[in-house]
Amino acid sequence: MIIDFNYQPVLEDYKKNYDMKLGSILKILENSGCKHSDAAGDAILDGSNNGIAWVLTDWLIDVITYPKYGDKILARTWSEPVNHPFICTRDFEMYCNDSLSVKGTTKWILLDLNTNRPCKLTQELIDKYKPEDKHTYEDAKLSKLVVPESFTKETPLSIRRLDFDFNGHVHNLTYLDYALEGLPQDVFDSRDFKRLRISYKLAVKPGEEIVCKYALVEGKHVCCIFDKDNNLKTQIEFE
């Protein structure tokens, strides 16, 4: 099942230079995935209220061209065939004025919110999504990110109540905001990133204290979000 999602951008989706923000691109792709779940009869809120939630573990996004203010936006998503009992792969494409602008892939697990353990994917659930033999990347396996040995910048982060989603965790897109806050000013000002990689390790929950640590490693701007006990919560790499 391939789902197309026509999105009407708003002013807050753009930077001053008319480029769409990276966070808005992820938001559009994420919402297209929600439409897929709804079409499959697997409503996200229903599952969460019943103690079972889809949890995102990884993003990989390549920006071919940034959509500009006024462009026509269409997001396309589908699920790949499931080859692991606990992991589902969802792919994305974004078209800008009918030309491919962004491509990406994500990894998901189904989590039991009561035990905090992954649930095995049933064939019945898989069949609801009608996986497509179509891939945005030939190698579906995402490489493991390596935490830098040292960092050159540390930014304490304030967690707002509005950062938490319906699962009681900081929403996955909010970690991108945290990482952008932790970038050096000159890197943040440019923000002409062509590749984004996110790996979620541990959810940030209410009452925690976190810090974003930054390092430049082999041309990659690496932001690692840690709690006060130095447990890695999320790693984000910009190229």
Side-chain angles (χ1 to χ4, degrees), residues 143-149 151 197 199 201 217 220 222 224 232 235 237:
S143 60
K144 185 177 180 180
L145 300 185
V146 178
V147 177
E149 294 181 359
F151 298 90
R197 177 78 169 85
S199 179
K201 299 298 184 182
V217 181
K220 298 178 183 179
V222 181
C224 292
L232 178 63
Q235 183 165 336
E237 296 186 354

Side-chain angles (χ1 to χ4, degrees), residues 176-192:
L176 175 61
D177 294 337
Y178 292 162
L180 291 170
E181 190 68 24
L183 292 174
Q185 188 64 49
D186 60 330
V187 178
F188 175 81
D189 288 341
S190 62
R191 282 185 289 168
D192 187 26

